[in-house]
Amino acid sequence: MALPLLPGFSLGRNPGKEKFHKSQHWGYCNNVAMLLAEDKPGIGGEPLTGQKLKPKFSVFPAEVGCGAPAWLAFDKQVLSFDAYFEEEMPDKDQELYRIRHCKIYFYLEDDTIQVVEPQVKNSGIIQGTIVRRHRIPLPSPNEDQFYTIDHFNINTEVTFYARRYKIIDCDRFTKNFLRKMGFKLNPPGNCPDDPYTKERQMILDSMNPLRPYERIDTLKQFLEHDGHVLRFYCVWDDPESPFHDPRKLILHYYLSDDTIDIKEIIPVNSGRDVVPLFLRRDKLPKHAPTGLYQPGTITSRTVLNVFGNSVGNRGRYILDNRKTGAVHQEFYRDSDLKIGAVINVWGRKLMLCDCDEFTKDYYRTKYGIEDFTPVSYEVPPCPRAEKSIPPYTGFGSEEDSLCSCMSLVPKPPQKDFKKFMEKDRYGLESNTLRFLAKLVTDRPIDKDRKFIICYFLSDDTVSVFERRQRNTGILGGKFLEKRRIKKPGQELFKSEPSEYFNAQDLFIGARVCFHGHNFLLVDADEYTINYMEKHANEFAVADIDFIFKKLKNIAEPRSREIRQVFAAADPQNTKVIEYDPFRNLIVSITDGAFSEHEIMTLGRHYKEKEECQMDHHFLLAKAQERLKKNSFENFEQLSAVLLYNDREKCGVLPYETCRTICKSFKLPLSDDLLQTILTT
């Protein structure tokens, strides 16, 4: 006969082991009947009729967690509670229980709890983590649930594994968080005193030790001033020195332990032995004794023999609290050191003359000292005799003869290597100034001779070549070998170095004398003129601003007359004048104060700009031919980069920007062709 199975009961083969399942009910899964927990929801997660679901984790309002999950919203946020618990001591007569303080940490991200007991010195108890971090279940009969944030408040009790913890207070963050959650905080509680600890403290306070030891605490001074060193510059006038020369020393005062060390500054070739330290690091007594103390004389404690040798040659020793017979020494402190003070270093008198900036700041802050005037101790050096250079002997060059007077081992003269590297020929930059010159002479045969004067900027040398002319009877070619040329009118055998021709002495219209030959510079090539105008700060004859100032000083009083002269030279009012009439007018106005090169610079500044008509179609055809031959196809990328750099969307980019972009794409175009396309 089959019996119906009632809800809440389960039958098995062993009737003695049957259990009453109060929190379970029957259900079906894949058409198989099985027991289900009472808190299992129905279809779609909706609770069944009459079912009350219990939250497994803490429930936070949406405004507290900002709608994010707890593990993200409350990451690294912990509630800290101050608590204590009573521990029974059945094995000791001195105490029946003990009060142990601890910290309860509640981690908001996953509702885990950790209990930690702060370590107390000499407690004899294993302290630290009492309960490791994990979720702690509630006490029976709710052991299927866990502690949440709702179970914590001030002045309440919680039970972790049969141990009751009394929460007495919490930190500020915890209080603010619980208030945001809507909890009403209880007033903080009081922690009872531990009777055993209180009794031990009373015993320690009432004890009067028979042997009181002086406690000298130097840890605080070490921690505050470790690495802080005062530095003084000292001088010691050694009376035993045969020359009585002052000896320079550096004194270091270590603020961490009030010790001093001294190091001597030994000059080069002084004849003294080099030692690591003049005085090793130690405390320095103010008054040095006449003799050294025996070992054991200076001690931190004094021991008295009460009975002496009267009782079986066996003494009774106790500590001397009065320190009778103790040797007291005074040591130098930071307050004793100042500029101008004289200190006694084991019989040697050292005077403090100066200090560094850190030392000045230290004394200014601690003692309010503002006067740090250094003490002058150095004897003014004897006037050094000027080295007289003998006159030039005529053998070799002047630089070579001068080097033989500078050292016992003669060395060759050093050239200006930096200037050579900067001004040497590089690519199309020759760094050579070329002038056309002719001889200044009365001989008819030499008047028509033409010369090319080359000045090399890399080493300031000059070479002269003569142009070959037919039917003159004079062989052209090298006239003067490349060398430095002295200016005329100087004494040959003298001690002072000679003056040589430099680049500023050569310009159009200048007269130079090379070894007795007088030359007049009548013209220069285009590179020379452009170089001088580019470096106008070095060449005054090519500096247009300097020429304007010079012309203004001369022509300002005659401004009306000059306008009439220029108007007469341009009768048709074209505002254009030829160079030769312009030169003649400038010469007449300045009365020969301007050189030919200055007049030429002025004319080049006001010259009419020639506008050359370029065939754009021809240039584009040449560029396309080059691009096609080199298979260049990155037109889309080039166009995108150009559009990106056109931030103002005006369709025009600076020349330098376009040239840089084209160079970055490695366009197979020559520099001249690319420059012409970009500038036209």
Side-chain angles (χ1 to χ4, degrees), residues 60-79:
F60 301 98
E63 60 272 9
V64 176
C66 300
W71 59 269
L72 181 61
F74 305 111
D75 184 28
K76 298 181 181 179
Q77 295 187 12
V78 185
L79 304 183

Side-chain angles (χ1 to χ4, degrees), residues 448-489:
D448 296 334
R449 298 173 66 180
K450 301 295 181 63
F451 298 88
I452 303 297
I453 298 178
C454 300
Y455 185 88
F456 301 91
L457 297 171
S458 59
D459 53 0
D460 298 329
T461 55
V462 179
S463 65
V464 181
F465 292 85
E466 184 176 3
R467 298 176 60 179
R468 302 185 182 202
Q469 301 183 33
R470 303 176 68 180
N471 301 326
T472 58
I474 300 174
L475 296 177
K478 184 186 295 185
F479 183 83
L480 181 63
E481 191 175 358
K482 180 182 177 181
R483 63 177 60 186
R484 297 179 66 189
I485 301 178
K486 297 181 182 179
K487 291 183 178 181

